[in-house]
Amino acid sequence: MVIWSLIPRALAHRSPVVRLATAATIGIVGFVVAWTAAYVVLPEGATRFTLGILPTLDARSDSIGVAATLFIWNAAFGFGVIALASLYSIGPVSLAYLAPWTWLVRFGIALGTNSFALFVPGARISPLDIQSILSHAGIPELIAYIVLATVLANASLWRQRRITDRHVVRIRHLREIRLTRVELSFVALAFLLLAGAALMETSQIARLQAL
């Protein structure tokens, strides 16, 4: 009970470093559990789907264009979802955390079932095969999302006291949000990670399209 009471406070801590460590730990636990369960229980390709964008991108002939497209898409969609969610919190916990946590679980399932849009048949990654995923473009991308959620975790404009409470209270206005130097550096880091992920993903798409 003590741990459960400490987690919400840590997620809303004044220090972005404490918030990041807590949010990352929760995300990693969810990621590993989802990866293991998917590998053991689900068949290959069980959750495979595509938005239709990756198969139409030719990373071999237009790598810069593909990288730019991926970066803009991930920044607009990923960062956009997190920014909108950050406007609300339930108790002290910002809803900004929910999107990257959900995507970490989804990534774990995709690894365990080889359910990526572009894939090599039979190339499922067994749980905790860390070496095999360190070069995966999804890693820096998801870290970027966690970092941005951490920055915006204390920037909520509206708050519910508890999840069953239908009454939303305005707690600040947009002009009142002030980011510290550390938080601003985290924002820059998030964009750099997202750019690096786009370059990595472009390279990986090119290799798969060459098969």
Side-chain angles (χ1 to χ4, degrees), residues 94-182:
S94 172
L95 297 187
Y97 292 119
L98 294 184
W101 285 342
T102 300
W103 295 332
L104 274 164
V105 169
R106 175 68 183 88
F107 183 57
I109 294 173
L111 283 173
T113 59
N114 193 19
S115 292
F116 297 100
L118 293 176
F119 64 96
V120 176
R124 299 174 70 178
I125 302 177
S126 59
L128 301 182
D129 185 358
I130 305 301
Q131 186 174 359
S132 297
I133 67 166
L134 287 179
S135 61
H136 199 291
I139 297 299
E141 180 181 331
L142 289 166
I143 293 174
Y145 294 147
I146 285 284
V147 170
L148 186 68
T150 295
V151 171
L152 300 178
N154 287 350
S156 299
L157 305 185
W158 292 276
R159 175 178 294 168
Q160 290 177 234
R161 294 184 62 184
R162 60 185 64 86
I163 196 168
T164 56
D165 187 0
R166 297 183 180 181
H167 185 56
V168 179
V169 178
R170 181 102 187 206
I171 57 176
R172 67 171 60 87
H173 292 84
L174 190 62
R175 63 177 178 273
E176 297 175 307
I177 297 176
R178 298 288 186 274
L179 299 181
T180 66
R181 289 183 179 180
V182 175

Side-chain angles (χ1 to χ4, degrees), residues 53-63 66 70 117-120 201-211:
I53 184 172
L54 289 182
T56 64
L57 298 177
D58 191 348
R60 293 169 297 175
S61 61
D62 185 21
S63 59
V66 170
L70 292 172
L118 293 176
F119 64 96
V120 176
E201 189 168 3
T202 299
S203 175
Q204 290 167 2
I205 290 172
R207 289 200 297 270
L208 286 173
Q209 290 177 334
L211 296 176

Side-chain angles (χ1 to χ4, degrees), residues 14-46:
R14 291 181 60 182
S15 169
V17 176
V18 174
R19 299 199 302 267
L20 178 58
T22 307
T25 299
I26 293 172
I28 290 171
V29 170
F31 164 64
V32 172
V33 170
W35 183 7
T36 303
Y39 187 84
V40 172
V41 176
L42 299 177
E44 182 175 4

